[in-house]
């Protein structure tokens, strides 16, 4: 008690403030990306997953656990406990629009589990893929209140976008842009890096704050494209897929039954007629297709091994028995975005038609099949491998209508508290249920106020009852699903499904999609309690039940801000001109402006523009003046021995080089690169003209342009090239910094968008 003087005062130290009991467990959530249920060996698949085995053997698994069929939406629901449209995440962050359910903004009235646990006294940290910050807010200038550190994570190391090169990612630590700690040539890989960093964080935590429990969210970029992994990992699976996807699908189906993961009476659904059979693939293309799958398998095993390193460190530090581990295999089903198999997966997102033979021919210039999985390519497997990896279900990523897109395994362990049980829990649950499960275990409830903001109710239901009592009746009675018009409604053992306007494995924009209305869709009806895999459509036999579920879907969609149905299609299909982009029409940049994410950078590859650069060069100058994009696609302007070259890399399939006939002399110069459309349409040919000191020195035509963007994670760099090498001319010299001086870069759009 304080008196008038120190001598008259009584001193007693204040005990540390605690909001949790002394036995509050640590929590580790492991989330794998774009991974179907029929891939891991734990559940009968071909990809060796010893870490997933380890968690399942120590705890219990849920084989009717569900996601949203898309990455940002699933992650938003996982972290908040709310349905994805209710937290503005009806589609990925880069395709946001101005409808409430599709805004890309998680409201502060839906605080994340990290924010709540932080205020209860947890140390909180996240690694790897984030993908829940509005794309327009991902530059070094922020704002940062919707970065991971603004959503309750005291520490973050990873990438903000939906995907990244595993060798040359655009990384941030907390709110600072950082470069990878080493190069691909030195053995860098992102999955290993985020494991190393998380292990370092754990060691620091034990040394500096051992009294605090921790919440770790560790989310890999694997198996999202591009599929990048070192050759030795892919070679483990050499020949494993030579009999093709139809046979693999059957083998995985039998393996899932043998593993006890699906019931014996589960039926293997048929291949869609618009998806090719393995027998339809020409002999000269099969080695390419199987190698793509071998790389994906190695990529998946490698990610699981890195997760195992975290568990090893928890064990070494003495945390293992005090830690709940939640391992979710896939934020959605396997991805068919590689479509027919690709060496540069953004081709499909840009809607540029190609043939497999074109990919194989371009690959030969890069060194043949051995170039797959390396920094030289952005490869992703054929959509039929995604379908096979979803066995026994019909769907895959982007199909919220069918279980292959939404049914992802979850396993949970907590030594001494969860009794290991190999029998899977079959209660129907959803990713929104993770938050209330954690709160239930901790004995807390979601606060009514967080940081002075009234909180929306959560949608999740605790799964602890099922952990304790495997035969308990399921408590999740209803759950809606919707992604880009593909939708479903579950209710008391029944599911009604509508595929929506497009199939992920069919290339191009479906005819008539611009006039599509959900009212015209055909609905299917399944009795899931008797039909595990949606094998038998009962819509014709039970129209009353179908009508009841369709009405329930309409109610749930309205209640959860999912209207308009298909709202996620607005930008990517119907109005690509409305994609997120900076509000500016001109920029002034310096010679050291780097790491500007492409969504926030000037659209140099698909809008009329002029780039004016004031430079000072020496004789035979070398280096990059600027580059946008990465190895899988982009554009760049550079000097080699004084020769000025502009290069447009159309996703490895086509390269356009425009070079000045003579080398630049030493001294001060003004370089001007003007880009204009020859035909005013998205993807149309471009005219590029290069002026030096007011005189035209070179010009040329880019036959096909990228209508959307080059890269999901790479950037605009000036004066050097970080990330992927757009041009092979300097791939072995990265970052190929300009050896002169750049005094000013002025970029301006020309004419209307």
């Amino acid at each position: 008690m304080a008196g008038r003087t120190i001598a008259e005062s009584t001193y007693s130290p204040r005990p540390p403030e605690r909001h949790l009991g002394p036995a509050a467990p640590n929590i580790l959530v492991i989330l794998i990306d774009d991974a179907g249920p029929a891939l891991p060996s734990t559940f009968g698949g071909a990809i060796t997953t010893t870490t997933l085995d380890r968690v399942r053997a120590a705890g219990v698994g849920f084989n009717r656990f569900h996601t949203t069929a898309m990455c940002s939406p699933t992650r938003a629901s996982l972290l908040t406990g709310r349905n994805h449209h209710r937290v503005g995440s009806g589609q990925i962050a880069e395709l946001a629009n101005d409808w409430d359910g599709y805004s890309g903004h998680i409201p502060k009235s839906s605080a994340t589990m990290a924010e709540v646990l932080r205020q209860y006294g947890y140390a909180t940290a996240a690694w790897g893929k984030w993908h829940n910050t509005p794309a327009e807010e991902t530059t070094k200038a922020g704002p940062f209140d919707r970065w991971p550190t603004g959503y309750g994570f005291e520490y973050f190391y990873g990438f903000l976008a939906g995907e990244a090169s595993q060798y040359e990612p655009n990384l941030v630590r907390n709110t600072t842009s950082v470069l990878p700690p080493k190069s691909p040539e030195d053995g860098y890989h992102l999955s290993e890096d985020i494991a190393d960093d998380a292990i370092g964080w754990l060691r620091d935590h034990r040394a500096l704050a051992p009294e605090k429990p921790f919440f770790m969210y560790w989310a890999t970029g694997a198996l999202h494209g591009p599929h990048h992994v070192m050759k030795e990992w892919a070679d483990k699976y050499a020949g494993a897929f030579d009999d093709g996807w139809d046979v693999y699908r059957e083998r995985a189906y039998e393996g899932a039954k043998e593993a006890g993961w699906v019931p014996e009476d589960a039926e293997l659904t048929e291949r869609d007629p618009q998806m090719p059979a393995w027998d339809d693939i020409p002999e000269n293309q099969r080695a390419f297709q199987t190698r793509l799958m071998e790389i994906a398998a190695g990529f998946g095993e490698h990610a699981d091994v890195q997760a195992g390193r975290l568990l090893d460190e928890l064990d070494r530090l003495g945390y293992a028995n005090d830690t709940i581990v939640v391992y979710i295999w896939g934020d959605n089903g396997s991805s068919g975005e590689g479509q027919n198999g690709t060496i540069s997966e953004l081709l499909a997102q840009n809607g540029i038609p190609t043939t497999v033979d074109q990919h194989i021919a371009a690959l030969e210039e890069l060194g043949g099949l051995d170039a797959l999985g390396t920094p030289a390519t952005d490869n992703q497997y054929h959509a039929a491998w995604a379908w096979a990896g979803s066995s026994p279900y019909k769907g895959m990523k982007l199909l919220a209508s069918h279980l292959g897109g939404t049914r992802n395994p979850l396993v949970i362990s907590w030594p001494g508290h969860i009794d290991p049980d190999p029998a899977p829990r079959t209660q129907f649950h959803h990713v929104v249920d993770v938050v209330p499960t954690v709160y239930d275990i901790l004995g807390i409830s979601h606060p009514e106020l967080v940081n002075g903001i009234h909180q929306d109710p959560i949608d999740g239901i605790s799964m602890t009852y099922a952990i304790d009592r495997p035969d308990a009746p399921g408590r999740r009675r209803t759950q809606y699903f919707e992604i880009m018009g593909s939708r479903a409604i579950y209710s008391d053992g029944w599911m009604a499904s509508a595929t929506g306007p497009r199939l992920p494995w069919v290339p191009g924009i479906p005819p008539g999609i611009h006039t599509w209305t959900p009212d015209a869709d055909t609905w299917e009806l399944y009795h899931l309690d008797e039909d595990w895999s949606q094998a038998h459509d009962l819509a014709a036999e039970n129209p009353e039940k179908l009508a009841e579920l369709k009405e329930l879907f309409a109610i749930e969609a309205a209640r959860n801000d999912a209207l308009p149905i298909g709202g996620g299609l607005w930008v990517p299909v119907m109005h690509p001109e409305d994609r997120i982009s900076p509000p500016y029409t001109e920029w002034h940049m310096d010679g050291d402006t780097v790491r500007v994410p492409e969504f926030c950078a000037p659209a140099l590859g698909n809008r009329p523009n002029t780039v004016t650069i004031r430079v000072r060069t020496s004789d035979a100058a070398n280096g990059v003046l600027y580059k946008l994009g990465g190895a899988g696609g982009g554009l760049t302007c550079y000097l080699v021995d004084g020769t000025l070259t502009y290069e447009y890399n159309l996703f490895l399939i086509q390269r356009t080089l425009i070079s000045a006939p003579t080398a630049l002399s030493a001294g001060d110069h003004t370089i001007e690169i003007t880009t204009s459309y020859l035909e005013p349409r998205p993807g149309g040919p471009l005219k590029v003209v290069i002026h030096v000191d007011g005189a035209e020195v070179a010009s040329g035509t880019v036959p096909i342009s990228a209508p959307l963007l080059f890269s999901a994670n790479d950037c605009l760099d000036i004066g050097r090239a970080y990330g992927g090498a757009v041009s092979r001319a300097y791939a072995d010299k990265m970052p190929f910094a300009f050896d002169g001086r750049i005094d000013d870069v002025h970029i301006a759009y020309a004419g209307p968008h």
Side-chain angles (χ1 to χ4, degrees):
M1 184 174 63
R4 187 179 62 85
T5 66
I6 291 177
E8 296 172 353
S9 302
T10 303
Y11 181 77
S12 59
R14 292 177 182 170
E17 186 178 8
R18 289 191 65 92
H19 301 288
L20 294 161
N26 307 307
I27 301 158
L28 168 62
V29 173
I30 299 168
L31 180 63
I32 305 297
D33 198 2
D34 278 11
L39 293 175
S41 58
T42 307
F43 311 120
I47 298 178
T48 301
T49 46
T50 55
T51 305
L52 191 56
D53 288 345
R54 178 176 170 183
V55 180
R56 185 189 180 193
V60 299
F62 285 78
N63 63 357
R64 295 177 81 201
F65 181 81
H66 299 83
T67 57
T68 70
M70 204 178 199
C71 35
S72 293
T74 289
R75 292 158 196 272
S77 291
L78 170 66
L79 291 170
T80 67
R82 280 89 168 180
N83 285 322
H84 54 302
H85 293 91
R86 285 190 64 218
V87 288
S89 300
Q91 76 296 299
I92 60 173
E94 294 87 347
L95 301 179
N97 57 54
D98 287 334
W99 286 303
D100 290 345
Y102 303 90
S103 67
H105 293 191
I106 299 175
K108 297 297 183 176
S109 57
S110 291
T112 68
M113 174 167 53
E115 181 62 30
V116 172
L117 294 183
R118 184 186 71 81
Q119 296 199 18
Y120 268 99
Y122 271 75
T124 60
W127 289 266
K129 175 173 171 175
W130 175 248
H131 210 198
N132 288 115
T133 295
E136 69 272 23
E137 298 180 4
T138 57
T139 74
K140 299 175 186 178
F144 302 112
D145 57 323
R146 283 187 277 260
W147 287 39
T149 52
Y151 279 126
F153 288 104
E154 297 166 315
Y155 178 82
F156 173 71
Y157 179 65
F159 61 100
L160 300 177
E163 65 175 56
S165 165
Q166 298 295 298
Y167 299 114
E168 299 149 331
N170 177 32
L171 296 171
V172 299
R173 176 172 278 111
N174 299 323
T175 58
T176 302
S177 176
V178 295
L179 295 174
K182 56 186 177 181
S183 69
E185 292 74 24
D186 293 330
Y188 180 83
H189 192 281
L190 178 55
S191 297
E192 294 178 8
D193 187 17
I194 61 172
D196 291 343
D197 200 81
I199 288 168
W201 184 90
L202 273 170
R203 293 172 180 173
D204 287 343
H205 177 81
R206 188 182 68 158
L208 304 174
E211 79 287 355
K212 297 183 72 172
F214 55 77
F215 169 46
M216 302 175 70
Y217 172 54
W218 193 82
T220 67
L223 279 78
H224 200 291
H227 291 170
H228 280 161
V229 77
M230 291 71 74
K231 186 175 184 296
E232 61 268 24
W233 290 86
D235 285 350
K236 291 184 176 188
Y237 295 90
F241 305 102
D242 284 357
D243 45 9
W245 42 71
D246 295 289
V247 172
Y248 176 78
R249 182 170 166 83
E250 294 175 1
R251 190 163 60 240
Y253 163 63
E254 294 298 335
K257 290 194 292 185
E258 291 172 11
W261 193 247
V262 303
E264 283 293 328
D265 61 357
E267 297 183 45
L268 184 63
T269 55
E270 296 181 355
R271 176 174 24 83
D272 186 275
Q274 295 188 74
M275 182 182 294
W278 180 250
D279 289 344
D280 296 331
I281 302 302
E283 191 65 36
N284 71 307
Q285 296 178 6
R286 292 190 179 186
F288 172 70
Q289 301 292 5
T290 56
R291 186 57 177 172
L292 290 174
M293 184 61 211
E294 291 166 9
I295 292 165
F299 192 26
E301 179 181 351
H302 179 262
D304 179 81
V305 167
Q306 306 317 308
R309 293 176 57 212
L310 265 67
L311 299 191
D312 290 343
E313 190 66 14
L314 289 172
D315 200 16
R316 190 186 76 82
L317 296 176
Y319 286 130
N321 289 336
D322 301 318
T323 302
I324 300 169
V325 177
V326 179
Y327 192 143
I328 304 172
W329 180 266
D331 57 354
N332 41 243
S334 292
S335 172
E337 291 160 306
Q339 298 200 328
N340 292 325
T342 181
I343 61 172
S344 190
E345 39 114 23
L346 266 293
L347 273 164
Q349 280 81 347
N350 278 273
I352 298 173
T354 57
T355 67
V356 173
D357 286 338
Q358 281 180 287
H359 290 250
I360 294 173
L363 190 63
E364 287 304 313
E365 297 181 13
L366 298 169
L369 293 178
D370 282 347
L372 294 173
T374 74
T377 58
D378 279 355
N379 51 277
Q380 189 171 8
Y381 57 25
H382 195 292
W385 288 122
W387 168 72
S390 300
S391 179
Y393 309 111
K394 296 178 182 180
M396 60 181 67
K397 178 183 178 179
L398 301 181
L399 284 182
S401 54
H402 290 86
L403 299 174
T406 59
R407 183 163 285 179
N408 289 94
L410 176 145
V411 294
I412 181 171
S413 67
W414 186 16
H417 299 269
I418 295 177
D419 294 330
D421 185 356
R425 295 337 190 225
T426 60
Q427 294 86 352
F428 194 101
H429 277 285
H430 188 267
V431 67
V432 295
D433 298 331
V434 173
V435 164
T437 301
V438 170
Y439 293 171
D440 195 13
I441 290 171
L442 298 181
I444 66 175
S445 59
H446 190 77
E448 293 183 7
L449 283 174
V450 175
N451 298 322
I453 299 172
H454 286 278
Q455 293 295 291
D456 301 320
I458 58 175
D459 297 308
I461 296 169
S462 173
M463 300 184 289
T464 54
Y465 75 95
I467 294 172
D468 299 333
R469 295 183 292 123
D471 297 326
R475 295 182 182 177
R476 173 157 290 286
R477 305 286 301 278
T478 299
Q479 180 61 46
Y480 86 99
F481 301 83
E482 193 280 337
I483 291 292
M484 293 186 168
S486 179
R487 56 207 188 277
I489 182 74
Y490 169 83
S491 180
D492 290 331
W494 289 82
M495 178 172 274
S497 304
T499 301
R502 63 177 186 166
L503 296 170
W505 52 86
V506 178
I509 304 298
I513 195 169
H514 295 90
T515 58
W516 167 80
T517 170
D519 296 336
D521 285 347
T522 299
W523 283 77
E524 302 162 9
L525 177 67
Y526 301 98
H527 193 185
L528 291 188
D529 283 352
E530 299 177 0
D531 178 12
W532 184 267
S533 57
Q534 294 178 298
H536 299 284
D537 179 7
L538 303 178
E541 299 173 29
N542 201 336
E544 295 84 4
K545 188 67 176 179
L546 178 60
E548 172 192 326
L549 290 182
K550 287 172 65 177
E551 179 65 21
L552 181 59
F553 176 83
I555 293 169
E556 289 296 299
R559 189 176 68 85
N560 285 281
D561 290 334
L563 302 178
I565 301 302
L569 295 167
W570 180 261
V571 169
V573 174
M574 298 178 179
H575 293 278
E577 71 278 5
D578 286 347
R579 79 165 176 88
I580 290 169
S581 61
Y584 317 115
T585 58
E586 66 176 317
W587 293 258
H588 287 277
M589 296 183 176
D590 291 316
D592 56 0
T593 300
V594 294
R595 302 285 79 193
V596 182
E598 185 174 353
F599 272 95
C600 302
L604 302 180
N606 54 26
R607 284 193 64 171
N609 67 85
T610 298
V611 180
T612 304
I613 312 168
R614 292 194 294 110
V615 300
R616 172 167 288 184
T617 64
S618 59
D619 282 324
N622 287 280
V624 170
L625 297 179
Y626 64 87
K627 76 94 180 176
L628 177 68
L635 58 81
T636 181
C637 188
Y638 57 92
L639 289 154
V640 174
D641 295 332
T643 298
L644 180 64
T645 298
Y646 171 96
E647 182 172 342
Y648 197 107
N649 170 3
L650 187 73
F651 304 108
L652 304 176
I653 297 298
Q654 182 182 85
R655 292 179 185 269
T656 302
L657 280 80
I658 303 168
S659 297
T662 58
L664 276 182
S665 60
D668 295 332
H669 297 283
T670 298
I671 299 169
E672 188 177 88
I673 300 95
T674 300
T675 302
S676 58
Y677 272 113
L678 289 174
E679 299 173 17
R681 58 179 175 82
L686 303 174
K687 178 76 171 180
V688 178
V689 181
I690 302 175
H691 289 83
V692 176
D693 300 329
E696 181 178 325
V697 298
S699 66
T701 299
V702 177
I704 303 171
S705 59
L708 189 61
L709 75 165
F710 291 118
S711 168
N713 182 241
D714 221 315
C715 299
L716 171 68
D717 294 316
I718 293 175
R720 66 201 63 226
Y722 292 129
V726 172
S727 174
R728 292 201 297 268
Y730 56 75
D732 60 346
K733 304 179 182 70
M734 295 286 285
F736 200 38
F738 178 51
D739 58 11
R741 189 181 77 205
I742 298 176
D743 292 322
D744 180 66
V745 178
H746 176 251
I747 301 170
Y749 289 152
H753 183 179

